[in-house]
Amino acid sequence: MEDLKIGVFICNCGTNIAKVVDCDAIVDSVERLPYVTVARTYKYMCSDPGQDMIQADIEEHGLDRVVVAACSPRMHEPTFRKTLQKAGLNPYFLEMANIREQCSWVHDDPVAATEKAAALTAAAVLRVAHHEALERRSVDMCPNTLIMGGGIAGMSAALDLADAGNRVYLAERSDHLGGNVARADLTAPYLDSARDMLTERVTRVVEHPNIDVLLESQVRKVDGFVGNFQTTIRGKADDGAPTDSVYDVGSIIVCTGYKEFDASRITHYGYGKLPNVVTSFELEKMLRAGRVTTKEGRVPQYVAIIHCVGSRNLEFHAYCSRVCCMTALKYAHEVKSAVPGAYVSDIYIDMHAFGKGMEDFYRRSSEIKTLFLMYEKNDYPVIRKADATDDCDMLIEVNETLSGETIEMPADLVVLMVGMEAREDSEEVAHLVNISRDKDGWFIESHPKLDPVATTTDGVYIAGACQAPKDIPDSVAQARAAAARILARTARGKIEIDAVFAEVDEEKCSGCRMCNELCPYVAIEFDPEKRRSHVISALCKACGACVAACPSGAITARHFTDKQIFSEIEGVLA
Amino acid sequence: MTFEPKIVGFLCNWCSYTGADLAGTSRIHYAPNVRIIRVMCSARIDPTFVLKALHDGADGVLICGCHPGDCHYSEGNYKMMRRYPLLKSLLADYGIEDERVRLEWVSASEGQRFADIVNDMTERVRALGPSPVKAALEADLAER
Amino acid sequence: MADDKLQIAIYWGAACGGCDVSILDTDEFILEIDKAADIRLWPIATDGKYKDIEALADGDLDVAIMSGAVRNSENEHMAHLLRQKSKVFVAYGSCAYMGGIPALANLVPREEIIERAYLNNASLEPGNTTVPRPRTSLNGYDLKLPEFYPRVYKLDQVVDVDYYVPGCPPQPGQAQAAITALVQALTGQAEAPPKGSVVGAYERALCDDCTRTKAEEKKVKRFYRPWEIMQDPEACLMEQGILCAGSATRSGCGVRCPNSGIPCRGCYGPAPGVVDQGAKLLSAVASIIDSKKAEEIDKILLTLPDFTSFANRYSVAASPLQRSHRR
């Protein structure tokens, strides 16, 4: 190796690191390592003076590699990479040693902590000697977007994108737009009309010159990569025959929504057996038609609403479906409005009134004399047919928690607040666009807190209930967030591909094809004429699966090469 | 003087390394015996890394990845899951005690779990004593 | 001994003799060797004795070609001697290069080997207590046997090696090519390969030269021993669940084994740049297992008996762990 000049900068982080780790001792140990030219400490390396110090040292000593021993690289790697760039050094000539989150903050013995910090810093020094200059690259960004799902999220995203002048292909599986919101009458907590809300959206979408609404259409295939997708969509031709068309898009938003839980799976609620046990959606149908009646056509005197059907239940879904509590209260209002004398009881576990206007709605619901009965999780109410002598159709036995009594509620109509579930086609959709699902089948976001609408596949976004149960405001927020993310990219016209990816050395590749199927991003293609495999760098996310698996060692992971990792191993064990 | 094991940890960036960072931000204390090397995904972990770590003097090797189904790269952890039993059988044939090499799934929110794993593994490896590898290879040479 | 003739020695350490036979198998080319060189030591074929080599000055031998591994002190002594007396030292064959089949013994502690061979097996007279010892006195004579080392070494763990010729044995065509290249280098007719090179082999894994078709889909639900199924002779063996080391093995042997319906066993060693052939084979095998459930994976692996001997069949001495560390 040619003569390198490595600068090592050890941060005190105030007392965060220095209180436990003897930073001066690390300077001593590191100075003995090969190629180390400069080693020093500073109070706050990430501060302006700290960064200036690094920059000055780079220039003065002609450093060509930099190690910063400080906080986690997940915190400040981008910061220090910029510092190197400003000093005229390739940003990938940096390596950080995590001596805070993974050392000073978790160990109390200063001797052991210092020893460990010294080892981690040594590992970084040995590793950085093998770093290579890497460059980020640009590719064109197609401004079109494919939106999968024509519900409230899909339409909201479509409008933002189209209003900004971009073409949108809105693919909807069914024969109408509106999704699950189209099945609703009013919405909580303000009792707005769902129909009015939707009509506004649908009209604007259908009339928008930039939106192609593709009804009865299914996405069959997605090829390409961010900025350059080719999507094959199967629709219906004029004569009704299925026909495939290919659309070029730069981004995809998945807004496929949810399906409701099948209430017949909970046998003790009698859904499917007792005629007047209905689901929330079945009640919506009645409300839209303007008439709330029992199966026999009578006006119900007692209406009971049961929360958490299929949700918060280890047997079915452990999660909370988020919207049902407020929707149940909405039904209390709507039933009282449709049947003024009716007794409405609301049988719930907890009242999730988390959002804007919701606690007020809850209060107003009790003001209209809704009867609230609380039951404990796993201690479910039991519904049975009433006797002929009772003046109601069914009786619900509830172990009511607040009173401590077992109460028998009469009910002519029972409304089951069925929870949200991932759709049956969610697995197919996930594979189509290369995203993951969590254990409940919801699509996984890039970061649960900081990146809720992007996914691990660059260029594919998720919005609405398909990501997790949520209400209309949150679905619309996510949809418009995804649209904004896309607009930020289309505005630039080009996108930067990360410099870190895998590469096949064709001099070493034997064409064994062990790697071909390993890539979750389908980034490896085989050239049958050359008999070699090849990584499409724009698609590669640098996970390294193919690198470790290649039996010839023909694939290298930029910035995570075998040599770099071997030297880290040597360093931590020195 | 008690034997302090030196354990090399290979942690994937998105879940387990983040989980270890979380233990830090939560100030959860644990044994200082694991030295962490970051990889992007547990799928990057070539069995050679584990063998080399043992050869270079590691008393134990800890491999951490995302829980199955949650891999940031979709299925990388399954690739590690398939390599692992083969690696264990190879290590067993080479006489390396079972508890010296361990695979655990740690999510980004499991700081406490990471700390518990480190503490548990440190004690188990401590009970096994120093890894025989480096000393044995050197002793062989002395006999020539 | 003509002055213009090259002086060479061909010797065997812990070996089976196959490598020497591979040189003999070059047929008429052996006459070319004879024309160009004086063979000062070649136990399988000539009369040379150790003292003939000891009598030489350092560097008198142009080339020493040693096959076999180092199992005992005699092997080591001869490796040192030949290294000392030669300009170029060639590790010939898988045993010399990586430890080879003898190095599989490294998976068993020495004491157990001695016990099994001399004290505890079905073909011994019961009650035998004699085991070989390095020194013994008998009738006033001091008798010595080579010391049986605790593990088998590949040659470069013992001496400085200039070139490696892989194979178990190296195929005669490659043996000829390697020797020719060496002779040409030594006589100034061609540039010498860089020190430490693997010669007599190619730079890619076997799949490059194997004519079996390789599909994109490589997923198996179980593994088969070669005799367990009727294989498709046109298709990749791994795709059929038959373990083949070819993808992790350097090419150059002419793909003789897969072309004959037998899976490659890895005797030409790892592809260039690979540290441990066994680890790479492990990754390759893991890559084709068609399962995402731990219990199912374990079941599939039950169809793979003795994976270690497959992974490191020829390369135990070259692997990072080198030998069993069982106490």
Side-chain angles (χ1 to χ4, degrees), chain A residues 34-49:
Chain A
Y35 305 121
V36 172
T37 308
V38 165
R40 57 163 104 257
T41 68
Y42 189 66
K43 286 196 306 279
Y44 291 104
M45 206 59 77
C46 57
S47 66
D48 279 342

Side-chain angles (χ1 to χ4, degrees), chain A residues 296-370:
Chain A
E296 300 83 15
R298 287 201 318 269
V299 173
Q301 206 191 357
Y302 303 101
V303 177
I305 306 170
I306 302 183
H307 291 221
C308 303
V309 177
S311 311
R312 307 187 74 202
N313 179 329
L314 284 172
E315 209 186 320
F316 301 103
H317 299 299
Y319 55 80
C320 161
S321 290
R322 201 164 163 98
V323 309
C324 334
C325 279
M326 294 299 107
T327 310
L329 297 182
K330 175 188 84 174
Y331 293 151
H333 287 267
E334 288 199 81
V335 165
K336 289 263 190 188
S337 179
V339 186
Y343 289 99
V344 178
S345 55
D346 196 279
I347 306 172
Y348 70 103
I349 302 174
D350 294 288
M351 192 57 72
H352 285 169
F354 56 90
K356 219 169 180 177
M358 292 187 187
E359 277 290 336
D360 281 342
F361 191 47
Y362 182 18
R363 197 181 26 82
R364 290 203 308 278
S365 307
S366 76
E367 279 166 10
I368 58 164
K369 305 232 174 26
T370 310

Side-chain angles (χ1 to χ4, degrees), chain A residues 180 182-185 258 260-264 269-295 303 309 327 330-331 334-335 394 413-418:
Chain A
N180 282 312
R183 301 163 75 191
D185 179 35
Y258 69 94
E260 70 263 35
F261 176 77
D262 176 4
S264 64
Y269 285 157
Y271 181 75
K273 299 231 168 65
L274 297 170
N276 290 314
V277 174
V278 301
T279 65
S280 42
F281 278 108
E282 286 167 332
L283 180 66
E284 293 282 359
K285 223 170 166 181
M286 286 197 249
L287 291 166
R288 280 186 7 246
R291 293 188 62 224
V292 179
T293 64
T294 64
K295 198 57 176 248
V303 177
V309 177
T327 310
K330 175 188 84 174
Y331 293 151
E334 288 199 81
V335 165
M394 296 167 283
L413 188 66
V414 175
V415 183
L416 299 176
M417 299 308 298
V418 286

Side-chain angles (χ1 to χ4, degrees), chain C residues 120-134:
Chain C
N120 195 359
N121 77 61
S123 62
L124 282 175
E125 289 288 341
N128 176 57
T129 53
T130 309
V131 296
R133 280 173 308 193

Side-chain angles (χ1 to χ4, degrees), chain A residues 142-213:
Chain A
C142 173
N144 307 341
T145 303
L146 165 67
I147 298 180
M148 297 171 68
I152 190 78
M155 290 194 292
S156 303
L159 287 169
D160 278 350
L161 289 164
D163 283 346
N166 299 300
R167 176 136 301 278
V168 177
Y169 303 109
L170 182 56
E172 164 59 41
R173 219 171 251 243
S174 75
D175 62 2
H176 61 275
L177 295 171
N180 282 312
V181 176
R183 301 163 75 191
D185 179 35
L186 301 179
T187 64
Y190 304 113
L191 300 177
D192 301 323
S193 156
R195 176 187 308 189
D196 289 348
M197 196 189 316
L198 271 187
T199 308
E200 184 269 343
R201 298 270 100 166
V202 172
T203 315
R204 286 197 56 214
V205 163
V206 161
E207 288 177 356
H208 207 298
N210 289 339
I211 303 180
D212 282 7
V213 178

Side-chain angles (χ1 to χ4, degrees), chain B residues 55 75 93-94 140 144, chain C residues 76 151 292 308 312 325:
Chain B
H55 172 271
E75 296 193 352
D93 282 336
Y94 277 89
D140 289 344
R144 273 170 43 209
Chain C
E76 181 170 10
R151 74 181 205 256
K292 298 208 291 205
T308 305
N312 282 135
H325 293 277

